[in-house]
Amino acid sequence: MMGFSWSRRALIALLLAGATAAVPPAAAASGADLARAQEMIDAGRPDQALLLLERLDPGKGRDKSAEAANILLLRSTARFMLGQMELGRRDLDRSLEIDPGLRQGWLNRAALDIADGELDHALEALERARALDPAATDTDLNIGAVMVMQGRAGEAQPFLDRYLAANRDSADAWYLVASNYALGGENGAAVEHLTRAIALDERIRLRSRTDPNFAALGVEPTFQQLLNTDSYRIPAGSYAVYRTFEARYFAGDGKLLPAVIDALQLTGEPFDRQIEVTPDWALIWGEMRIKVRNDPHEGGRVELTAPRTSFSEDVWKARSGKLLAEVAVQLAKR
């Protein structure tokens, strides 16, 4: 359970986030089947997992066993993924009744309570999960997130700070905290933590543009400034080359950016199809970092950079030169 939203789709994602630890090693005959069911769930095949788990009916002599509780817990997750919410809820409650020591069960119980708007009950379930594993920092994240939702951001901060202290170099961790602050209407804290996430991984900026959790920040000047600022600094010793062209950069319009994309495809240079486009620049990521913008004096500019560990110098010169030459060719055709 790694962040919160009120939609059913988001709820399923929360349940899946921690489900990989649901099944302990088992000596019983069905242990291998439980492991296979878990793999199916992890692979997004809940229908196949459910068929297997239904053959392991916990009512067949396993009513009060730990194995029965694990079957029910896995089956509940498969049902939630398939949209069978009431059946999933029943299996989840039965699993916790049999074995209250199932930490993942309490996390899933909290997710259901959040989806129902029962935030006090969610906190109770999360406290049960924390008691079972006080060192698990994801519980701190979720307790803090629920408190933010309740308008208790001050009380939430120590929990969220503990989570970040254990994950200080993780862009995803900072992003999750920022997302939860945004969802709770704490815009200043959301921007602050998102800034740190982007500093750790600039691709987070593109991710945040389409995240509905940040929708309410759309008009915030600090949020807009963050989205439109490229604060990346080329590491010392990196390869770097640029070329200017008569064609200027015009965000999603104009000739320059399409020419760069066509050149990448024609030269076989690998790149991520998710391109970050702003009014002043565009970023394309691959084995090279490619920035397209306007030069203050010479029209459009295409900048290529890469860590020196990525290529030998000869390979870098050959590939970067080929790409920039192909950009010129594509522009000449337009």
Side-chain angles (χ1 to χ4, degrees), residues 274-316:
Q274 286 192 306
I275 298 169
E276 187 173 18
V277 177
T278 77
D280 296 321
W281 46 263
L283 280 176
I284 305 171
W285 292 283
E287 293 180 6
M288 302 177 189
R289 181 186 190 267
I290 303 163
K291 184 173 182 179
V292 185
R293 65 181 180 91
N294 287 322
D295 187 280
H297 309 291
E298 302 181 62
R301 173 168 168 148
V302 179
E303 303 170 349
L304 312 180
T305 60
R308 193 162 286 270
T309 54
S310 300
F311 318 103
S312 68
E313 189 162 357
D314 288 344
V315 170
W316 162 253

Side-chain angles (χ1 to χ4, degrees), residues 13-236:
L14 300 182
L15 296 171
L16 286 177
T20 55
V23 181
S30 62
D33 290 327
L34 287 174
R36 281 198 298 274
Q38 181 72 65
E39 290 171 2
M40 292 172 185
I41 287 172
D42 295 342
R45 303 198 306 271
D47 50 343
Q48 297 176 32
L50 186 57
L51 286 173
L52 176 57
L53 290 163
E54 285 179 336
R55 290 201 297 270
L56 302 175
D57 186 349
K60 294 178 180 177
R62 304 188 184 96
D63 286 333
K64 298 297 182 182
S65 70
E67 184 183 26
N70 278 301
I71 292 170
L72 288 163
L73 179 57
L74 276 179
R75 197 168 74 181
S76 71
T77 302
R79 291 193 192 282
F80 289 135
M81 293 173 68
L82 292 167
Q84 300 174 9
M85 304 305 290
E86 290 309 312
L87 290 173
R89 186 187 300 268
R90 187 179 67 185
D91 281 348
L92 176 59
D93 288 344
R94 284 179 62 198
S95 73
L96 289 171
E97 182 180 338
I98 294 169
D99 185 0
L102 286 174
R103 178 176 177 270
Q104 185 62 46
W106 290 111
L107 293 176
N108 291 4
R109 178 71 257 179
L112 289 174
D113 291 334
I114 292 164
D116 291 340
E118 299 287 346
L119 299 185
D120 287 340
H121 291 160
L123 281 179
E124 292 172 7
L126 289 169
E127 289 293 354
R128 295 289 295 266
R130 185 167 65 155
L132 292 167
D133 186 357
T137 59
D138 62 326
T139 316
D140 286 325
L141 168 67
N142 292 313
I143 289 174
V146 173
M147 288 181 170
V148 170
M149 290 292 176
Q150 293 177 314
R152 300 160 59 193
E155 294 173 72
Q157 185 174 345
F159 292 95
L160 297 174
D161 286 350
R162 267 199 303 273
Y163 171 72
L164 290 173
N167 301 276
R168 64 177 63 254
D169 295 324
S170 167
D172 280 338
W174 287 86
Y175 182 84
L176 284 170
V177 172
S179 175
N180 283 309
Y181 272 128
L183 205 56
E186 297 292 331
N187 293 354
V191 172
E192 176 188 346
H193 288 77
L194 184 59
T195 300
R196 175 60 177 161
I198 293 170
L200 290 166
D201 181 357
E202 64 174 344
R203 299 190 195 202
I204 290 286
R205 186 178 50 236
L206 176 59
R207 179 176 163 190
S208 65
R209 292 178 187 277
T210 56
D211 187 337
N213 286 2
F214 291 102
L217 272 69
V219 297
E220 286 283 332
T222 53
F223 181 62
Q224 288 302 316
Q225 182 180 5
L226 181 62
L227 293 186
N228 291 315
T229 301
D230 175 19
S231 56
Y232 180 80
R233 296 292 177 265
I234 301 171

Side-chain angles (χ1 to χ4, degrees), residues 266-277:
L266 290 166
T267 59
E269 190 65 41
F271 70 101
D272 189 333
R273 265 58 178 179
Q274 286 192 306
I275 298 169
E276 187 173 18
V277 177

